[in-house]
Amino acid sequence: MPADQPTVLVVEDEAAQREVLRYNLEAEGFRVAAAGNGEEALMMMDEEAPDVVVLDWMLPNLSGIEVCRQIKTRPGTRGVPVIMLSARSEEVDRVRGLETGADDYVVKPYSLRELMARVRAQLRRARPAAAGLRLEYEDIILDAETHRVTRDGQELKLGPTEFRLLSTFMEKPGRVWSREQLLDRVWGRDIYVDTRTVDVHIGRLRKALGVHGGGDPLRTVRGAGYALG
């Protein structure tokens, strides 16, 4: 799977329903991680934050509401969109789910087609480059659909790794990414790459961004990593 393929975490205790969601999400082009309970989901998110969480309310031990609350209070995951699934259709339940931090609330039984559309909608907000949208930062424009990058109107030639790096930075300007986080996002967790490789590709990206002049938009944060702006 491509390293920058968007990841959806499905948290559902019913195995059959979990597999139905996995099958349909993978058919839509998503990378899917799955958890059968809230504790497992939170542990998985500590290791790697997904791009979207599809979370069932009725989970054993730790409820979906509590899982959502913890996701939204942890600094590393509070920005991850959560779609709550529930058989509770009353307004008071929908309000409770949304006030706990859920970004969307879907009542069971639901249309799989509609749920896939809601996942894509949340992805457009959380990771616009992965959704094929156009990103802009100062004089840099990245078009994820056509895979083109321009700076001050002049086209830049970027390799695939540098393109994914720039996409990651432009999705969240100002955020400091550690080398390990960049390895996970750009290369993928299943591939062993030395962290120094990140420095090499950052150097190539800096060179490509400055080929027509202009200042270096990338910032090195000593002991922490890199950021755009």
Side-chain angles (χ1 to χ4, degrees), residues 27-39:
E28 290 287 324
F30 295 107
R31 187 168 155 236
V32 180
N37 58 65
E39 294 90 340

Side-chain angles (χ1 to χ4, degrees), residues 75-123:
T77 59
R78 63 168 59 121
V80 177
V82 175
I83 300 176
M84 183 80 74
L85 305 180
S86 176
R88 300 168 181 254
S89 59
E90 296 296 322
E91 180 183 12
V92 64
D93 297 314
R94 294 197 302 272
V95 169
R96 183 183 175 197
L98 294 169
E99 287 186 342
T100 303
D103 299 88
D104 200 355
Y105 189 99
V106 178
V107 176
K108 296 180 178 181
Y110 49 79
S111 155
L112 280 167
R113 185 175 177 183
E114 180 184 352
L115 180 59
M116 297 302 113
R118 289 175 181 268
V119 171
R120 288 193 298 270
Q122 292 299 328
L123 181 67

Side-chain angles (χ1 to χ4, degrees), residues 177-189 195 198 224-225:
W177 295 83
S178 70
R179 290 170 176 81
E180 291 75 14
Q181 288 171 329
L182 290 171
L183 282 174
D184 288 347
R185 174 61 69 89
V186 176
W187 281 266
R189 296 180 64 87
T195 55
V198 175

